[in-house]
Amino acid sequence: MLAGPSKCSAWVMLGALLLAGSLPAEETPPQQLGLYEGVVGGKLEELVEKSLLIQNPETMPNVTLQQVIARVEQLTKLQVWVDRQALTDAGLSLDNDSIISEWLAGETVVQLANRLSHNDAELIWEVHDGLAILTTTEKVSLTYETIQYPVGDLLAQGLDFHQLSEIILESTRGPWEVDEPGTGTLHQFGNLLFIRQTRRVHHEIVELLAILRRQDPIVIRDSSDEDVRVRRLLEENLVSFDWPGVPLGEFAKRLTELTGLNIRLNEKNLKDAGIDQNTRLDARAVNVPLIIALQKNLENVDNTELAVRVYDDVCHITTAEAASLRYDTMFYRLGSWGITGGDVDELSALLELETSGPWERTEPGTGTIRVVEPLNMLVIRQTYGVQREILKMLRDMRSKLARTKPVANSVARLSTPLDEPHLPVHTDHPLPETASSPAQVTRDQLTSVTWDSIGVYAPLLMALLLGCVAGYLGRH
């Protein structure tokens, strides 16, 4: 009894299935990398007095400075001393009856200084001789001290004094003698760096040297791990809302409740731009990342472009102009991605060309990229927005490189054997171009078949052959 065509086809399919395991499986593309995958914070919390990191247990709205000071002394167990002369010199008038709009629950004593800052006076806490001193950054920036830094281990890795000094000069806020005489200085003696700078810059230098000794792929200097977590959630949290005519302060409050992130207004910068918490906007988003929702809804608030910055564990809403003046320094260790040697230089040039910048080479005083050859590292100082561009480029590049594997072109290799001389082609008398006939195309295709290309289809051919044999046996 003969088997019908359907049975024969079934045998063929069965044979194919039996040997399907021998076919090369299509590679599964790697999982999409998150924008902040592998990124860590470089801030050394031990440099900050622990008592200043204590959190306020409950919100204090509309309180006097004296009440706030009493709460700080209660939390830190330190006597508070307000450097009123420094505040007065900065044009900031604060007395014990001055009203503080609020000090939120969960905010630290360090963050309280941001709420007390007004006009152009930026306040900061310093701890000396058992006192918690509230003063201005300007006052702190005028007090210098010299510290010796052992760097023998870094020099042993191939770095030299010139590279170290350039990294320090570019990655800290300074000022430095090379640009402003009478300010910070840096000299080498043996394996020591002698650096004269303010206490605040010394904190930055300690963090910077610690980062150069780390092996993490990407580190953000002067950012805590909580800052990095906030940045990551800004990218990953999908939000939807529709709040027409919402006041800006209420907008930040609702987003905080919706996402769990600490989103606050930088009242000083907003006030300078003529915007306050009662300025209204039509806010709307439909299932988009929080960072995109913020960018789109803040791009025109009362004819002013606003932006966000992440620092001190908080996402701050500020003006785009103010955000463009604050820089992040990020360390990209590229050796773990297989990018070494000259490739690091090429990537450096590519990033300058393919991101919005501005960069130091075209506009002095802006972003910088430094290649640290012995460590296969890029040290990039740029704004939060441009660093996001760089992270996206690197993420996409890593993802595509992971899927790309070199393929041997055996056809091209055999089509021009090395032992056959090439016929000379003269530009004065080029070979005529002729259209290939179907027969010629067929012959070319057959002659281009190699054992390598046959090997790719061998399992399928074997399966079809077995199917045919099985069908033949079924008929007989």
Side-chain angles (χ1 to χ4, degrees):
M1 183 175 181
L2 296 177
S6 60
K7 288 187 178 181
C8 184
S9 299
W11 280 108
V12 172
M13 293 186 67
L14 177 61
L17 289 172
L18 289 174
L19 290 182
S22 62
L23 287 173
E26 184 177 349
E27 292 187 9
T28 302
Q31 185 177 4
Q32 185 72 15
L33 295 172
L35 190 62
Y36 283 87
E37 188 73 27
V39 181
V40 297
K43 178 176 285 186
L44 299 179
E45 299 293 355
E46 58 266 25
L47 296 178
V48 181
E49 176 65 35
K50 297 298 182 184
S51 58
L52 299 181
L53 299 177
I54 296 175
Q55 296 180 346
N56 183 27
E58 59 181 347
T59 297
M60 300 175 62
N62 297 320
V63 292
T64 64
L65 177 61
Q66 186 58 45
Q67 289 173 314
V68 170
I69 289 175
R71 173 64 64 85
V72 172
E73 290 182 338
Q74 176 190 0
L75 294 176
T76 65
K77 310 302 181 188
L78 296 172
Q79 178 186 342
V80 172
W81 183 72
V82 179
D83 189 350
R84 299 191 186 278
Q85 185 60 53
L87 271 59
T88 300
D89 293 343
L92 180 60
S93 177
L94 276 182
D95 55 42
N96 291 341
D97 295 327
S98 298
I99 300 297
I100 312 302
S101 59
E102 61 180 354
W103 183 18
L104 295 175
E107 289 189 335
T108 65
V109 178
V110 170
Q111 292 168 340
L112 173 63
N114 293 327
R115 292 201 169 274
L116 297 176
S117 299
H118 291 285
N119 301 326
D120 294 327
E122 183 180 351
L123 302 187
I124 191 173
W125 290 96
E126 289 279 283
V127 176
H128 288 300
D129 302 325
L131 297 175
I133 303 172
L134 182 64
T135 184
T136 64
T137 56
E138 182 180 4
K139 175 70 172 290
V140 171
S141 68
L142 298 176
T143 306
Y144 287 80
E145 58 182 314
T146 300
I147 296 179
Q148 304 172 24
Y149 294 93
V151 292
D153 58 325
L154 294 174
L155 297 176
Q157 294 183 48
L159 292 173
D160 56 32
F161 169 71
H162 177 73
Q163 287 176 315
L164 273 176
S165 61
E166 289 297 320
I167 293 172
I168 292 172
L169 293 177
E170 290 178 359
S171 305
T172 58
R173 70 190 70 196
W176 293 95
E177 170 85 9
V178 291
D179 299 315
E180 189 174 329
T183 57
T185 58
L186 188 154
H187 298 93
Q188 179 193 24
F189 183 82
N191 289 338
L192 297 175
L193 289 180
F194 283 73
I195 300 179
R196 176 181 175 271
Q197 256 300 349
T198 64
R199 185 176 294 104
R200 194 174 186 184
V201 177
H202 277 300
H203 283 187
E204 297 178 11
I205 294 169
V206 171
E207 288 179 350
L208 189 154
L209 294 177
I211 291 171
L212 291 177
R213 294 180 170 103
R214 296 173 64 165
Q215 298 300 316
D216 302 276
I218 305 175
V219 183
I220 310 178
R221 193 193 63 74
D222 199 29
S223 287
S224 65
D225 287 334
E226 177 61 19
D227 288 331
V228 176
R229 188 186 78 87
V230 171
R231 294 181 185 223
R232 183 176 291 117
L233 292 178
L234 283 172
E235 304 290 337
E236 298 174 359
N237 273 13
L238 300 181
V239 294
S240 297
F241 51 80
D242 190 1
W243 304 325
V246 63
L248 185 59
E250 181 66 19
F251 172 71
K253 181 179 179 181
R254 291 186 188 182
L255 281 182
T256 296
E257 295 172 350
L258 180 66
T259 64
L261 295 180
N262 193 354
I263 301 174
R264 296 288 175 259
L265 304 183
N266 187 314
E267 296 180 1
K268 174 182 176 295
N269 291 336
L270 294 175
K271 182 180 179 181
D272 292 343
I275 294 175
D276 60 28
Q277 60 182 354
N278 295 317
T279 304
R280 295 182 179 272
L281 67 153
D282 292 322
R284 185 174 182 271
V286 180
N287 200 36
V288 295
L290 176 56
I291 185 64
I292 302 301
L294 285 166
Q295 289 176 346
K296 294 304 180 184
N297 284 284
L298 296 175
E299 65 182 2
N300 187 350
V301 177
D302 198 17
N303 297 320
T304 301
E305 183 181 359
L306 306 186
V308 296
R309 280 275 305 167
V310 177
Y311 57 92
D312 290 341
D313 307 341
V314 175
C315 175
H316 297 265
I317 295 177
T318 183
T319 63
E321 181 181 5
S324 70
L325 299 177
R326 297 193 64 133
Y327 288 81
D328 290 327
T329 300
M330 298 180 63
F331 297 73
Y332 298 85
R333 192 178 284 269
L334 304 173
S336 59
W337 305 347
I339 302 175
T340 59
D343 289 342
V344 180
D345 285 302
E346 289 187 28
L347 180 58
S348 169
L350 179 66
L351 292 177
E352 284 200 36
L353 291 173
E354 299 297 332
T355 56
S356 57
W359 296 98
E360 170 79 17
R361 293 182 185 179
T362 56
E363 190 173 328
T366 57
T368 59
I369 297 184
R370 175 157 295 277
V371 178
V372 187
E373 293 183 0
L375 304 182
N376 295 313
M377 176 185 285
L378 289 179
V379 182
I380 302 180
R381 176 182 175 272
Q382 255 300 352
T383 62
Y384 172 59
V386 177
Q387 296 285 13
R388 282 189 72 246
E389 293 179 40
I390 293 170
L391 285 171
K392 289 182 69 174
M393 286 185 61
L394 294 180
R395 179 200 64 186
D396 293 343
M397 182 182 70
R398 291 172 64 190
S399 179
K400 288 179 173 62
L401 288 177
R403 292 197 299 265
T404 305
K405 292 184 179 180
V407 179
N409 190 348
S410 56
V411 176
R413 186 169 60 248
L414 293 177
S415 63
T416 54
L418 295 178
D419 54 353
E420 292 185 9
H422 293 280
L423 296 176
V425 177
H426 299 285
T427 55
D428 294 335
H429 303 284
L431 293 177
E433 296 183 3
T434 57
S436 300
S437 65
Q440 181 62 42
V441 172
T442 303
R443 284 195 297 271
D444 291 342
Q445 291 175 341
L446 290 175
T447 56
S448 67
V449 175
T450 67
W451 285 112
D452 288 343
S453 59
I454 291 175
V456 174
Y457 298 100
L460 180 59
L461 294 173
M462 183 69 72
L464 292 174
L465 178 60
L466 285 179
C468 292
V469 171
Y472 176 80
L473 293 176
R475 292 197 303 271
H476 297 81

